[in-house]
Amino acid sequence: MDSIEGCNITITDQTDIERGPFSSCPNHRSLYIRVRDATETLNFKSLDTAGVIDVSQSPQLQVLDFPQLKHLEALIIKEATALSKILLGQLTSSPPSIDDGGFSLNGADHLANVTGLHLFELQDVALPSWWNSNITSVVGIESDTCVAFPALERTRNIHLIGTVSANCQLLTNLVSVYNFTLTGISPDEITFGRAALNILDTLVLESSIVNTTYYSHTIGLGPITSVGSNAFITSNENAHIDLYSLNSIRGNLSISENRNCEFNFDHLMEAGNLLLLDNQGTSLPSFPSLARANNIHLRGQIDHFNMFPALTSVSGAVIVEPWNSNFNCSQLVSQYDKGVIGALRCNGTNNETQTITGSKITSQGAKISIGVGATILVLATAKVCAWLFLYIKTRLKYLSHKGYTPLHHEQRNMIDLEEFDNRDVSQELPDDQVYEAGESESELIHQLDGTMIIQEIPGHDVAYELPSS
């Protein structure tokens, strides 16, 4: 064992790790580990910090496992043609993580799984596509530099931070991600393939500010077809956000606080709660294919007369708060009248209906009809009351002439009780409770102000086996 500002050691098998020179070497950032002529699996059980791990001349080595490793400066692999898995489950994104040395893999032709590989704040580290050409599965990727994983099919978490470079993120074979977060991504930065991409839990697109002089404003997320929980699109500017293949969101689609943006959701068919709120300089998109949702809340510029032409069911409430005074509610009113919408509150205008609350419809024509009807009813009631008063007075006068004595209060009660005991008893059940839109609106607004309660659309459970850590 040599000592140069730490430890330089050579490992050939598991015995060297557990009882050989490695076991007596203190962990140190300048630790330089050479792996030579190794076979099968090497498990560095207690290693938590290292400078350089240099693997070479090990054609029979199959697995490298670093279960406790949190800090690493460089990983160099050459001539390890049977290597199929690198396990780095604890490697963190905190500095120094991986810096100038970076990753270099040559001759690792069968490397298929890098489980737990985290890339974050990489500087001056080139990751050419051939380097990652055989990696099909990782637990997580965090990166603010260009990454290329042309064979990557699935991962638990991806967080990509924009680089303002076209075709920088290469994910041409990706089909499944649990959580997918994109921060500050620029147009044409991500290159997807043609395969459908399923987000099993959460999709986040945030803080993408596109330069107005840029030749393209489109952030293309076309391969994404489904989101298993929630999708959040927030704080983006001057972007055309294209999700043309998205057809299902089981939780909330929340689009808020974007500026001067356009959206494409042409194929979205179902969503839990649809929440489009406070997007400045942005015309809210229509949803030509949306059929089902639990609740819908729109607040902003609404230029489309028929926002939901394919709608068949909204089990809760639809709340519409247009910023433009010319929005016409009549199409939504028609859908409400047909029973498509459970409850409606629309602040727009039209020729017939101003507002609908619960099961009550109030229109200008209806107001006039109700006023006339009420007047007639009052006059008729007054006339009937006057007739009854005269009739009772005349009848009492007649009975007094005949010698009848009115019954005392107690006698009347006894007669009533006897009659009650001798007749069948029937009781009318109360009418069903009327569903009031106010209740749904209150619940929905409460959800908007706090933590959203997810109402999942019934469907098959999603089964997904995550990459093992």
Side-chain angles (χ1 to χ4, degrees):
M1 176 179 65
D2 299 326
S3 177
I4 303 177
E5 296 182 357
C7 294
N8 290 354
I9 64 173
T10 299
I11 301 296
T12 59
D13 55 30
Q14 192 67 30
T15 301
D16 290 337
I17 296 174
E18 296 177 0
R19 295 188 295 276
F22 180 75
S23 62
S24 61
C25 185
N27 291 331
H28 197 277
R29 186 151 297 158
S30 61
L31 178 62
Y32 193 110
I33 300 174
R34 294 183 179 90
V35 177
R36 299 288 187 270
D37 300 318
T39 61
E40 298 182 352
T41 298
L42 290 180
N43 187 336
F44 293 80
K45 298 178 180 179
S46 60
L47 182 66
D48 62 6
T49 301
V52 177
I53 298 175
D54 179 2
V55 181
S56 183
Q57 301 171 14
S58 300
Q60 302 303 315
L61 180 63
Q62 299 175 11
V63 177
L64 279 172
D65 191 356
F66 301 93
Q68 302 299 325
L69 187 63
K70 294 181 173 63
H71 298 280
L72 175 64
E73 295 182 5
L75 174 63
I76 302 170
I77 298 180
K78 300 177 182 178
E79 302 167 0
T81 54
L83 186 63
S84 63
K85 185 177 294 185
I86 302 175
L87 302 175
L88 297 162
Q90 298 295 321
L91 194 64
T92 67
S93 60
S94 59
S97 192
I98 304 163
D99 49 32
D100 293 343
F103 287 87
S104 174
L105 278 74
N106 293 319
D109 299 331
H110 297 281
L111 185 62
N113 297 283
V114 179
T115 303
L117 175 61
H118 293 250
L119 309 176
F120 191 61
E121 295 183 354
L122 300 179
Q123 298 178 2
D124 302 321
V125 178
L127 296 175
S129 60
W130 53 262
W131 180 87
N132 305 296
S133 60
N134 295 318
I135 298 174
T136 60
S137 174
V138 301
V139 169
I141 298 173
E142 284 186 283
S143 177
D144 65 352
T145 189
C146 295
V147 295
F149 290 91
L152 184 67
E153 295 177 358
R154 53 184 46 84
T155 177
R156 182 176 179 83
N157 299 311
I158 292 182
H159 184 188
L160 300 180
I161 300 173
T163 64
V164 198
S165 299
N167 303 314
C168 181
Q169 322 291 351
L170 188 63
L171 301 168
T172 51
N173 209 37
L174 191 64
V175 296
S176 179
V177 180
Y178 195 76
N179 294 310
F180 197 14
T181 301
L182 302 172
T183 302
I185 294 296
S186 60
D188 301 326
E189 184 167 344
I190 302 177
T191 301
F192 291 104
R194 295 182 178 180
L197 174 56
N198 297 308
I199 310 300
L200 301 184
D201 193 72
T202 302
L203 170 66
V204 177
L205 176 62
E206 60 185 5
S207 305
S208 291
I209 301 176
V210 180
N211 191 319
T212 55
T213 63
Y214 200 69
Y215 73 94
S216 172
H217 290 187
T218 299
I219 297 177
L221 303 175
I224 298 176
T225 58
S226 66
V227 176
S229 183
N230 303 316
F232 300 100
I233 301 175
T234 61
S235 304
N236 304 287
E237 292 187 21
N238 308 320
H240 175 208
I241 297 169
D242 196 352
L243 283 153
Y244 62 84
S245 296
L246 182 63
N247 59 59
S248 173
I249 297 177
R250 298 190 67 181
N252 304 319
L253 172 57
S254 177
I255 302 175
S256 64
E257 298 181 1
N258 301 284
R259 183 180 295 273
N260 299 325
C261 288
E262 297 178 358
F263 305 92
N264 183 353
F265 294 98
D266 283 357
H267 293 94
L268 182 64
M269 298 180 64
E270 60 181 7
N273 296 312
L274 194 63
L275 312 169
L276 282 68
L277 305 171
D278 304 329
N279 298 278
Q280 300 288 336
T282 299
S283 177
L284 298 187
S286 63
F287 293 82
S289 302
L290 186 69
R292 294 176 299 278
N294 293 328
N295 295 287
I296 297 175
H297 190 175
L298 309 179
R299 183 166 66 233
Q301 180 75 22
I302 306 176
D303 295 325
H304 298 279
F305 165 69
N306 191 358
M307 291 284 288
F308 311 105
L311 201 61
T312 60
S313 175
V314 176
S315 57
V318 175
I319 301 175
V320 182
E321 302 174 277
W323 288 345
N324 48 310
S325 60
N326 62 342
F327 177 73
N328 192 304
C329 294
S330 60
Q331 181 61 33
L332 293 171
V333 171
S334 175
Q335 290 170 319
Y336 171 83
D337 290 340
K338 295 175 182 177
V340 172
I341 296 172
L344 173 63
R345 191 186 80 192
C346 183
N347 292 343
T349 61
N350 57 57
N351 293 329
E352 297 179 359
T353 303
Q354 298 296 327
T355 61
I356 293 179
T357 302
S359 59
K360 300 180 178 67
I361 301 179
T362 304
S363 66
Q364 295 299 329
K367 288 178 180 178
I368 296 171
S369 299
I370 291 172
V372 172
T375 302
I376 294 172
L377 179 61
V378 169
L379 293 175
T381 302
K383 184 175 182 180
V384 170
C385 290
W387 180 84
L388 284 174
F389 175 76
L390 293 175
Y391 173 79
I392 292 170
K393 184 176 180 181
T394 303
R395 186 64 178 168
L396 288 174
K397 185 176 182 181
Y398 171 77
L399 290 174
S400 63
H401 284 275
K402 292 289 186 179
Y404 289 103
T405 302
L407 293 174
H408 293 295
H409 177 72
E410 293 80 1
Q411 293 174 301
R412 287 199 300 270
N413 285 345
M414 291 297 296
I415 294 172
D416 291 342
L417 289 172
E418 290 174 0
E419 292 177 353
F420 182 85
D421 291 337
N422 292 324
R423 68 173 181 264
D424 293 334
V425 178
S426 63
Q427 181 178 3
E428 184 179 354
L429 293 174
D431 294 335
D432 292 338
Q433 295 295 324
V434 176
Y435 181 76
E436 294 293 338
E439 295 176 2
S440 291
E441 294 162 16
S442 175
E443 293 173 2
L444 183 58
I445 293 171
H446 172 70
Q447 292 169 354
L448 292 173
D449 292 339
T451 301
M452 184 61 63
I453 299 173
I454 309 305
Q455 299 180 10
E456 291 192 349
I457 293 173
H460 298 295
D461 292 334
V462 178
Y464 173 68
E465 184 177 353
L466 297 175
S468 59
S469 57

PDB file of all heavy atoms in Angstrom, residues 431-449:
ATOM      1  N   ASP A 431     -88.195  15.294   1.001  1.00  0.00           N
ATOM      2  CA  ASP A 431     -87.606  15.281  -0.344  1.00  0.00           C
ATOM      3  C   ASP A 431     -86.113  15.093  -0.247  1.00  0.00           C
ATOM      4  O   ASP A 431     -85.469  15.414   0.745  1.00  0.00           O
ATOM      5  CB  ASP A 431     -87.905  16.607  -1.060  1.00  0.00           C
ATOM      6  CG  ASP A 431     -89.380  16.760  -1.336  1.00  0.00           C
ATOM      7  OD1 ASP A 431     -90.073  15.726  -1.425  1.00  0.00           O
ATOM      8  OD2 ASP A 431     -89.821  17.916  -1.446  1.00  0.00           O
ATOM      9  N   ASP A 432     -85.523  14.548  -1.339  1.00  0.00           N
ATOM     10  CA  ASP A 432     -84.068  14.407  -1.400  1.00  0.00           C
ATOM     11  C   ASP A 432     -83.416  15.775  -1.264  1.00  0.00           C
ATOM     12  O   ASP A 432     -83.930  16.789  -1.723  1.00  0.00           O
ATOM     13  CB  ASP A 432     -83.638  13.770  -2.729  1.00  0.00           C
ATOM     14  CG  ASP A 432     -84.101  12.315  -2.796  1.00  0.00           C
ATOM     15  OD1 ASP A 432     -84.333  11.733  -1.716  1.00  0.00           O
ATOM     16  OD2 ASP A 432     -84.241  11.814  -3.921  1.00  0.00           O
ATOM     17  N   GLN A 433     -82.234  15.763  -0.660  1.00  0.00           N
ATOM     18  CA  GLN A 433     -81.509  17.018  -0.492  1.00  0.00           C
ATOM     19  C   GLN A 433     -81.093  17.574  -1.853  1.00  0.00           C
ATOM     20  O   GLN A 433     -80.612  16.835  -2.701  1.00  0.00           O
ATOM     21  CB  GLN A 433     -80.260  16.769   0.367  1.00  0.00           C
ATOM     22  CG  GLN A 433     -80.573  16.338   1.792  1.00  0.00           C
ATOM     23  CD  GLN A 433     -81.282  17.418   2.564  1.00  0.00           C
ATOM     24  OE1 GLN A 433     -80.983  18.586   2.380  1.00  0.00           O
ATOM     25  NE2 GLN A 433     -82.224  17.041   3.409  1.00  0.00           N
ATOM     26  N   VAL A 434     -81.266  18.848  -2.036  1.00  0.00           N
ATOM     27  CA  VAL A 434     -80.871  19.495  -3.282  1.00  0.00           C
ATOM     28  C   VAL A 434     -79.382  19.791  -3.234  1.00  0.00           C
ATOM     29  O   VAL A 434     -78.888  20.371  -2.274  1.00  0.00           O
ATOM     30  CB  VAL A 434     -81.666  20.800  -3.487  1.00  0.00           C
ATOM     31  CG1 VAL A 434     -81.182  21.511  -4.743  1.00  0.00           C
ATOM     32  CG2 VAL A 434     -83.139  20.492  -3.591  1.00  0.00           C
ATOM     33  N   TYR A 435     -78.646  19.351  -4.253  1.00  0.00           N
ATOM     34  CA  TYR A 435     -77.201  19.591  -4.291  1.00  0.00           C
ATOM     35  C   TYR A 435     -76.946  21.044  -4.641  1.00  0.00           C
ATOM     36  O   TYR A 435     -77.383  21.519  -5.677  1.00  0.00           O
ATOM     37  CB  TYR A 435     -76.544  18.698  -5.330  1.00  0.00           C
ATOM     38  CG  TYR A 435     -75.060  18.870  -5.402  1.00  0.00           C
ATOM     39  CD1 TYR A 435     -74.229  18.319  -4.434  1.00  0.00           C
ATOM     40  CD2 TYR A 435     -74.485  19.602  -6.439  1.00  0.00           C
ATOM     41  CE1 TYR A 435     -72.871  18.471  -4.499  1.00  0.00           C
ATOM     42  CE2 TYR A 435     -73.127  19.771  -6.498  1.00  0.00           C
ATOM     43  CZ  TYR A 435     -72.323  19.202  -5.531  1.00  0.00           C
ATOM     44  OH  TYR A 435     -70.959  19.364  -5.597  1.00  0.00           O
ATOM     45  N   GLU A 436     -76.313  21.769  -3.750  1.00  0.00           N
ATOM     46  CA  GLU A 436     -76.054  23.185  -3.953  1.00  0.00           C
ATOM     47  C   GLU A 436     -74.644  23.399  -4.471  1.00  0.00           C
ATOM     48  O   GLU A 436     -73.683  22.830  -3.950  1.00  0.00           O
ATOM     49  CB  GLU A 436     -76.233  23.939  -2.638  1.00  0.00           C
ATOM     50  CG  GLU A 436     -77.670  23.955  -2.123  1.00  0.00           C
ATOM     51  CD  GLU A 436     -78.601  24.753  -3.017  1.00  0.00           C
ATOM     52  OE1 GLU A 436     -78.100  25.616  -3.770  1.00  0.00           O
ATOM     53  OE2 GLU A 436     -79.811  24.514  -2.970  1.00  0.00           O
ATOM     54  N   ALA A 437     -74.539  24.219  -5.498  1.00  0.00           N
ATOM     55  CA  ALA A 437     -73.217  24.486  -6.051  1.00  0.00           C
ATOM     56  C   ALA A 437     -72.324  25.146  -5.036  1.00  0.00           C
ATOM     57  O   ALA A 437     -71.120  25.012  -5.084  1.00  0.00           O
ATOM     58  CB  ALA A 437     -73.324  25.383  -7.282  1.00  0.00           C
ATOM     59  N   GLY A 438     -72.910  25.905  -4.110  1.00  0.00           N
ATOM     60  CA  GLY A 438     -72.106  26.590  -3.114  1.00  0.00           C
ATOM     61  C   GLY A 438     -71.232  25.652  -2.329  1.00  0.00           C
ATOM     62  O   GLY A 438     -70.108  25.965  -1.968  1.00  0.00           O
ATOM     63  N   GLU A 439     -71.748  24.429  -2.035  1.00  0.00           N
ATOM     64  CA  GLU A 439     -70.939  23.471  -1.283  1.00  0.00           C
ATOM     65  C   GLU A 439     -69.730  23.050  -2.083  1.00  0.00           C
ATOM     66  O   GLU A 439     -68.608  23.051  -1.589  1.00  0.00           O
ATOM     67  CB  GLU A 439     -71.797  22.253  -0.931  1.00  0.00           C
ATOM     68  CG  GLU A 439     -72.938  22.577   0.026  1.00  0.00           C
ATOM     69  CD  GLU A 439     -73.814  21.371   0.276  1.00  0.00           C
ATOM     70  OE1 GLU A 439     -73.513  20.300  -0.267  1.00  0.00           O
ATOM     71  OE2 GLU A 439     -74.789  21.520   1.023  1.00  0.00           O
ATOM     72  N   SER A 440     -69.939  22.695  -3.339  1.00  0.00           N
ATOM     73  CA  SER A 440     -68.807  22.266  -4.159  1.00  0.00           C
ATOM     74  C   SER A 440     -67.824  23.392  -4.368  1.00  0.00           C
ATOM     75  O   SER A 440     -66.622  23.201  -4.348  1.00  0.00           O
ATOM     76  CB  SER A 440     -69.304  21.747  -5.508  1.00  0.00           C
ATOM     77  OG  SER A 440     -69.993  20.547  -5.329  1.00  0.00           O
ATOM     78  N   GLU A 441     -68.374  24.622  -4.588  1.00  0.00           N
ATOM     79  CA  GLU A 441     -67.476  25.747  -4.799  1.00  0.00           C
ATOM     80  C   GLU A 441     -66.616  25.981  -3.581  1.00  0.00           C
ATOM     81  O   GLU A 441     -65.413  26.202  -3.663  1.00  0.00           O
ATOM     82  CB  GLU A 441     -68.295  27.004  -5.103  1.00  0.00           C
ATOM     83  CG  GLU A 441     -69.045  26.920  -6.427  1.00  0.00           C
ATOM     84  CD  GLU A 441     -70.150  27.956  -6.483  1.00  0.00           C
ATOM     85  OE1 GLU A 441     -70.123  28.873  -5.670  1.00  0.00           O
ATOM     86  OE2 GLU A 441     -71.036  27.828  -7.343  1.00  0.00           O
ATOM     87  N   SER A 442     -67.247  25.904  -2.393  1.00  0.00           N
ATOM     88  CA  SER A 442     -66.481  26.137  -1.165  1.00  0.00           C
ATOM     89  C   SER A 442     -65.384  25.108  -1.009  1.00  0.00           C
ATOM     90  O   SER A 442     -64.256  25.433  -0.670  1.00  0.00           O
ATOM     91  CB  SER A 442     -67.433  26.093   0.027  1.00  0.00           C
ATOM     92  OG  SER A 442     -66.718  26.197   1.241  1.00  0.00           O
ATOM     93  N   GLU A 443     -65.771  23.833  -1.263  1.00  0.00           N
ATOM     94  CA  GLU A 443     -64.755  22.781  -1.129  1.00  0.00           C
ATOM     95  C   GLU A 443     -63.635  22.984  -2.130  1.00  0.00           C
ATOM     96  O   GLU A 443     -62.460  22.851  -1.805  1.00  0.00           O
ATOM     97  CB  GLU A 443     -65.408  21.423  -1.342  1.00  0.00           C
ATOM     98  CG  GLU A 443     -66.404  21.060  -0.218  1.00  0.00           C
ATOM     99  CD  GLU A 443     -67.164  19.793  -0.556  1.00  0.00           C
ATOM    100  OE1 GLU A 443     -66.885  19.216  -1.611  1.00  0.00           O
ATOM    101  OE2 GLU A 443     -68.025  19.387   0.235  1.00  0.00           O
ATOM    102  N   LEU A 444     -64.002  23.297  -3.375  1.00  0.00           N
ATOM    103  CA  LEU A 444     -62.988  23.447  -4.407  1.00  0.00           C
ATOM    104  C   LEU A 444     -62.065  24.609  -4.105  1.00  0.00           C
ATOM    105  O   LEU A 444     -60.845  24.496  -4.205  1.00  0.00           O
ATOM    106  CB  LEU A 444     -63.670  23.662  -5.759  1.00  0.00           C
ATOM    107  CG  LEU A 444     -62.738  23.779  -6.979  1.00  0.00           C
ATOM    108  CD1 LEU A 444     -61.878  22.530  -7.088  1.00  0.00           C
ATOM    109  CD2 LEU A 444     -63.537  23.988  -8.238  1.00  0.00           C
ATOM    110  N   ILE A 445     -62.629  25.774  -3.686  1.00  0.00           N
ATOM    111  CA  ILE A 445     -61.791  26.925  -3.372  1.00  0.00           C
ATOM    112  C   ILE A 445     -60.916  26.639  -2.165  1.00  0.00           C
ATOM    113  O   ILE A 445     -59.759  27.033  -2.105  1.00  0.00           O
ATOM    114  CB  ILE A 445     -62.682  28.159  -3.133  1.00  0.00           C
ATOM    115  CG1 ILE A 445     -63.364  28.554  -4.461  1.00  0.00           C
ATOM    116  CG2 ILE A 445     -61.866  29.327  -2.590  1.00  0.00           C
ATOM    117  CD1 ILE A 445     -64.417  29.601  -4.314  1.00  0.00           C
ATOM    118  N   HIS A 446     -61.459  25.901  -1.181  1.00  0.00           N
ATOM    119  CA  HIS A 446     -60.631  25.512  -0.024  1.00  0.00           C
ATOM    120  C   HIS A 446     -59.459  24.660  -0.483  1.00  0.00           C
ATOM    121  O   HIS A 446     -58.345  24.817  -0.016  1.00  0.00           O
ATOM    122  CB  HIS A 446     -61.483  24.725   0.965  1.00  0.00           C
ATOM    123  CG  HIS A 446     -60.679  24.134   2.086  1.00  0.00           C
ATOM    124  ND1 HIS A 446     -60.102  24.908   3.066  1.00  0.00           N
ATOM    125  CD2 HIS A 446     -60.340  22.854   2.351  1.00  0.00           C
ATOM    126  CE1 HIS A 446     -59.454  24.132   3.906  1.00  0.00           C
ATOM    127  NE2 HIS A 446     -59.578  22.879   3.496  1.00  0.00           N
ATOM    128  N   GLN A 447     -59.728  23.782  -1.442  1.00  0.00           N
ATOM    129  CA  GLN A 447     -58.645  22.951  -1.943  1.00  0.00           C
ATOM    130  C   GLN A 447     -57.602  23.799  -2.648  1.00  0.00           C
ATOM    131  O   GLN A 447     -56.404  23.544  -2.530  1.00  0.00           O
ATOM    132  CB  GLN A 447     -59.196  21.901  -2.913  1.00  0.00           C
ATOM    133  CG  GLN A 447     -60.073  20.844  -2.209  1.00  0.00           C
ATOM    134  CD  GLN A 447     -60.817  19.992  -3.212  1.00  0.00           C
ATOM    135  OE1 GLN A 447     -60.774  20.250  -4.408  1.00  0.00           O
ATOM    136  NE2 GLN A 447     -61.493  18.970  -2.737  1.00  0.00           N
ATOM    137  N   LEU A 448     -58.043  24.830  -3.375  1.00  0.00           N
ATOM    138  CA  LEU A 448     -57.096  25.674  -4.083  1.00  0.00           C
ATOM    139  C   LEU A 448     -56.212  26.443  -3.123  1.00  0.00           C
ATOM    140  O   LEU A 448     -55.053  26.695  -3.388  1.00  0.00           O
ATOM    141  CB  LEU A 448     -57.854  26.654  -4.987  1.00  0.00           C
ATOM    142  CG  LEU A 448     -58.588  26.031  -6.169  1.00  0.00           C
ATOM    143  CD1 LEU A 448     -59.415  27.087  -6.856  1.00  0.00           C
ATOM    144  CD2 LEU A 448     -57.604  25.398  -7.124  1.00  0.00           C
ATOM    145  N   ASP A 449     -56.783  26.863  -1.983  1.00  0.00           N
ATOM    146  CA  ASP A 449     -56.012  27.648  -1.029  1.00  0.00           C
ATOM    147  C   ASP A 449     -55.042  26.805  -0.233  1.00  0.00           C
ATOM    148  O   ASP A 449     -54.072  27.311   0.324  1.00  0.00           O
ATOM    149  CB  ASP A 449     -56.959  28.363  -0.049  1.00  0.00           C
ATOM    150  CG  ASP A 449     -57.768  29.437  -0.773  1.00  0.00           C
ATOM    151  OD1 ASP A 449     -57.315  29.866  -1.843  1.00  0.00           O
ATOM    152  OD2 ASP A 449     -58.826  29.813  -0.263  1.00  0.00           O
TER     153      ASP A 449
END
